[in-house]
Amino acid sequence: SIQTPGVLAVAASADAAVLMLQWVEPATDERLGNAFYESFARQLAELHRATSPKGQFGWPEGTFCGVTPQANGWMKSWPAFYRDRRLVPQLELARQNFPHADLLHELGGRLLIRVASLLDYPARPSLIHGDLWSGNVLCDRSGRPVLIDPASSFSDREAEFGMLTLFGGLPPRFYEVYQEVWPLADGWRERVDLYQLYHLLNHLNLFGESYLGRCLAIMKRYAG
């Protein structure tokens, strides 16, 4: 199974919190070859096979993606969950942060109406990392993949590939092996940009207007 750092200590007060994790000694770069990414692909597919006890999408409590709160109330419908728990909060935050970005708000409203039809495919709750880019995958001294900084939920596993493909992604062999182990549903490549949008909106809200153009491009594509 895929590795994560062990939790050594947790402490919290009214105005501060501390989480102490096991140190992961990183491997040298030469270990990051096809064998590592093949192993990571198999272990990620195994993680994704874990499903929620009631077959619903969500998480027992709210989490964070970066420093942005991430709502996770349980829902039976995946399109409704992705719309109401992921896109809506980011679009509402963007309205506060960028009140004069009229095109963003117009496209956002149109897109929300279409989410149910855009995500009309068989969806299954899978345990996902939720913020999985290359910087959140470590290789330890034994050559094993180690995941850090999760934004976990039981979501459709296609959502994992939004972040995985966003900033350059991983080597092609990773995606090939994942598809060999557990192929994604037909049409996933046509949907992946819609899953990227959640993270791009989060980056827009966290880091500013440099992400606005990419958000608008995706929204124009899907908003109809």
Side-chain angles (χ1 to χ4, degrees):
S1 61
I2 205 158
Q3 302 294 306
T4 58
V7 176
L8 302 180
V10 178
S13 65
D15 56 359
V18 175
L19 173 64
M20 185 179 295
L21 299 177
Q22 173 190 8
W23 171 256
V24 178
E25 187 68 28
T28 53
D29 289 344
E30 56 263 26
R31 284 186 180 269
L32 295 176
N34 277 344
F36 172 80
Y37 289 107
E38 290 171 3
S39 177
F40 176 40
R42 294 188 182 96
Q43 291 181 26
L44 185 65
E46 180 184 358
L47 176 72
H48 287 168
R49 291 190 185 278
T51 192
S52 61
K54 297 182 179 181
Q56 296 189 23
F57 300 93
W59 195 249
E61 57 192 16
T63 54
F64 288 83
C65 191
V67 298
T68 306
Q70 185 171 258
N72 285 311
W74 296 105
M75 299 185 74
K76 294 181 179 179
S77 165
W78 169 244
F81 180 88
Y82 188 65
R83 181 191 63 215
D84 297 344
R85 304 288 193 254
R86 295 295 179 263
L87 294 180
V88 167
Q90 291 290 347
L91 290 169
E92 289 178 345
L93 191 58
R95 186 174 290 277
Q96 297 174 27
N97 292 334
F98 308 97
H100 304 298
D102 294 338
L103 182 57
L104 177 73
H105 309 316
E106 177 193 344
L107 290 172
R110 286 161 48 188
L111 175 61
L112 294 178
I113 295 171
R114 300 201 64 220
V115 168
S117 60
L118 292 167
L119 299 184
D120 184 19
Y121 67 95
R124 171 190 181 277
S126 290
L127 178 58
I128 70 168
H129 177 283
D131 191 14
L132 191 53
W133 64 293
S134 59
N136 284 340
V137 184
L138 306 180
C139 178
D140 70 11
R141 293 293 294 273
S142 299
R144 299 176 302 179
V146 182
L147 298 185
I148 62 171
D149 199 17
S152 297
S153 65
F154 287 103
S155 292
D156 187 78
R157 61 195 175 109
E158 282 190 14
E160 192 87 279
F161 288 82
M163 193 63 177
L164 268 173
T165 58
L166 186 54
F167 298 117
L170 299 177
R173 187 58 182 150
F174 165 82
Y175 302 99
E176 293 169 0
V177 172
Y178 187 98
Q179 286 288 85
E180 292 168 5
V181 174
W182 191 10
L184 294 163
D186 291 344
W188 77 273
R189 291 188 181 278
E190 285 69 49
R191 294 184 290 267
V192 72
D193 285 0
L194 184 56
Y195 291 124
Q196 287 184 358
L197 180 61
Y198 169 63
H199 296 284
L200 286 169
L201 287 169
N202 191 35
H203 278 65
L204 173 68
N205 285 313
L206 289 173
F207 306 119
E209 291 188 8
S210 60
Y211 290 93
L212 180 59
R214 294 185 70 177
C215 291
L216 292 176
I218 291 176
M219 295 167 80
K220 288 176 182 177
R221 174 184 170 188
Y222 291 108

